Structure formats: structure tokens, C-alpha cells
Amino acid sequence: MSFSILKKGIIPFLFLITLPCLGLAQTYTTEKTASGKSLKLFEKAESQSRDKDFEAALKTLDKLLETDPVFVNAYLIRAAIYYDQMNFEAAEADFAKALQLAPDYKPRAWYQSGLNKMRQDKFEAAIPDFEQFLKLETRSEKMLDRAKKHLANCKFAAQAIKNPVPFHPKSIGENINTPGFEYLPSITADGEFLVYTTRINNQEDLYYSKKVNGLWQPGNALEAINTPMNEA
């Protein structure tokens, strides 16, 4: 076989190998690749968000995404704001768009997306989000442990919803059960201490209560454990 024949065969073959790679080029914008105008708007939205001026931040992000509809970080910040505002449906749409554009860019976005779906009782839909996070995250052992617990809870809840059983919850007293949110209780083996999660203004913290003369006392925050982040 002559070299000329090989050459004719090799060139088309290399072209076929190279051609699919063209589709793998980055098709989204990040903080590092944004234009000066887009980056300026993004930094403005970040500043507004830090100052708790969320409505202004949302307007800035809307303007940014009109001019740069593939800016991943903008979708993630807007999703976080919607989440804090308990607009979970809007947050879900933005998380989905960001993850569609760049599934490997921010692994923790999968974790946040899973939490957002849990808030909507979409336990089965949250399962692949936590599974993907566990595949991609390599740094935070604390977040990995949390994701594993959330994943187990989602799998249990998804099955429980499909196979309901009679359930009649009862209040354990106004010192614990309030008009707010209390959940994820854990009781010590002797039945004398209760640890549970309380959500106030969308902030999750751990509380504890002691039983005295058969009655649970008002819950107290576990200050040594609670942080500005959510504990659950």
C-alpha cells in the first residue's frame, strides 16, 4: 500500500475524530470569560445581594441574562436568591438552566438543586441531583456526608409516598411544636433529651430540649454547633 493511499485514508479519519470535538467547546459564560459589560453587571448584582437588596439584584441579573443568556454564575446567584425568598419553582428553573449549560462547572449547584427540590417535596427528582454531586465533589467531607444523608432521606421519602401507611402525628407540646417549622427529631436512648431542626426566616438551626416531669422544656439553640449556614 502506497503512502499516498494511506494519507488519503488518514486525513478523512482524523477529520471524523476531530469534528465531534468541535461540539465540546465551551458554550457558556463564566466570571472568567465574561465581557467587561457583563462582568460589571454581575459584580453589581453580587454587591446588591450581599447588601440584602435582593429585588435590585434580581433586576440586575435579569438585565444581565437578557444580554448574555448563557452566563452560568448569573443563573446560580438568581437561583440562590429565589431559594432564600422561598420561590422554589423559580429557583428550580434557574438551577436546571445552569446545570444544563455547565453540568461540571460548579458541583455544589447539584447539591443546592437537590435541596431546592426537597423543599417542594420532589424527593424522587432530587435523588439524581445528590447522586451527581457525590460523583463530582472531592473537597468537602462535611458536604459529602450531608449529601449522603439527604440522598437516603429522599429515597426513603420517595418510597414512602408511593406506599403510604396510616399516620396520625401528635403535638408533643407548645414548647416544641410552634406555628413555625420543627422537624428531623432525634431522642437520646434514655428518652430525656430531644434534638431537632428549627427553621426561622429560612435559616435552619439545631435546637435541643430536656424532659422535666414528663414535659419537654422550651427548646434552646445549640450555639456551639449552629453557624450562619443551615444545619439539619
Side-chain angles (χ1 to χ4, degrees):
M1 184 179 295
S2 68
F3 178 73
S4 61
I5 295 176
L6 281 172
K7 188 176 181 181
K8 290 179 181 178
I10 289 172
I11 292 175
F13 180 66
L14 290 176
F15 178 74
L16 289 174
I17 293 176
T18 306
L19 186 60
C21 295
L22 298 178
L24 298 179
Q26 181 169 299
T27 57
Y28 57 87
T29 304
T30 70
E31 296 172 82
K32 294 183 179 180
T33 62
S35 67
K37 181 179 179 181
S38 293
L39 186 59
K40 187 175 181 180
L41 283 172
F42 178 73
E43 291 174 344
K44 179 180 179 181
E46 277 192 314
S47 176
Q48 291 167 330
S49 180
R50 285 194 297 268
D51 292 339
K52 308 296 183 183
D53 192 353
F54 297 124
E55 293 306 319
L58 287 174
K59 289 180 180 179
T60 302
L61 290 166
D62 290 344
K63 182 178 179 180
L64 169 56
L65 289 169
E66 285 178 6
T67 59
D68 190 349
V70 292
F71 202 143
V72 176
N73 302 84
Y75 284 110
L76 292 175
I77 288 185
R78 194 169 70 174
I81 293 174
Y82 283 141
Y83 180 87
D84 286 340
Q85 293 180 331
M86 302 184 73
N87 187 350
F88 301 126
E89 186 175 348
E92 182 177 352
D94 275 355
F95 279 128
K97 182 64 176 179
L99 292 169
Q100 178 187 23
L101 286 169
D104 299 335
Y105 174 57
K106 292 285 187 181
R108 295 187 185 191
W110 289 103
Y111 179 91
Q112 294 165 332
S113 177
L115 286 181
N116 185 69
K117 289 174 182 175
M118 287 182 71
R119 290 287 184 267
Q120 302 173 80
D121 293 339
K122 295 182 178 180
F123 301 108
E124 192 159 9
I127 290 173
D129 288 358
F130 288 120
E131 290 177 336
Q132 189 65 13
F133 170 76
L134 290 170
K135 290 179 183 178
L136 297 175
E137 177 63 32
T138 58
R139 293 184 296 176
S140 175
E141 288 296 328
K142 185 176 181 180
M143 287 194 70
L144 287 169
D145 288 341
R146 286 184 177 180
K148 290 174 184 177
K149 292 177 181 177
H150 288 316
L151 178 59
N153 288 336
C154 284
K155 288 181 176 180
F156 173 82
Q159 288 301 313
I161 290 172
K162 292 178 181 178
N163 303 281
V165 296
F167 177 61
H168 304 289
K170 296 181 180 179
S171 171
I172 59 173
E174 61 183 14
N175 286 337
I176 305 298
N177 294 126
T178 72
F181 298 92
E182 292 85 26
Y183 44 88
L184 299 179
S186 296
I187 300 178
T188 56
D190 60 8
E192 294 300 314
F193 285 90
L194 171 70
V195 177
Y196 58 98
T197 298
T198 291
R199 192 167 86 223
I200 301 174
N201 295 327
N202 212 35
Q203 169 69 36
E204 290 181 322
D205 285 315
L206 294 174
Y207 276 63
Y208 73 95
S209 175
K210 182 179 181 180
K211 186 182 287 186
V212 178
N213 297 325
L215 297 175
W216 291 108
Q217 301 304 296
N220 295 288
L222 285 169
E223 300 292 351
I225 296 177
N226 293 331
T227 70
M229 304 295 288
N230 286 330
E231 278 71 40

